[in-house]
Amino acid sequence: MAQPDALVLGVNGQDGSYLAESLLARGWTVHGIGRQAQSRWIGQTPGYSYQALDLNDTDAFSALLS
């Protein structure tokens, strides 16, 4: 069975980081989005990727989702 994927917006915040960690512990693949240049709370972890992105940049967000 394939691992489910999750997109967590605001992964560098308190709620987003807890959600991402919980999903990773359950075997999900997590794609984290945050404004900072790098992930604040979750380091290089199998199943986790991070993308720095300002959600006000709708063109960049649309491209990411494509």
Side-chain angles (χ1 to χ4, degrees):
M1 178 185 285
Q3 291 180 326
D5 287 304
L7 177 64
V8 178
L9 305 176
V11 74
N12 284 329
Q14 178 181 350
D15 294 345
S17 64
Y18 285 145
L19 174 60
E21 289 172 346
S22 177
L23 291 170
L24 287 166
R26 290 179 171 85
W28 286 58
T29 298
V30 176
H31 307 279
I33 305 292
R35 288 181 288 179
Q36 295 78 12
Q38 56 189 329
S39 184
R40 285 177 66 185
W41 306 111
I42 303 171
Q44 290 185 338
T45 302
Y48 178 70
S49 65
Y50 179 77
Q51 176 69 41
L53 180 73
D54 184 344
L55 293 178
N56 289 316
D57 185 348
T58 56
D59 291 335
F61 184 58
S62 181
L64 176 74
L65 294 177
S66 293

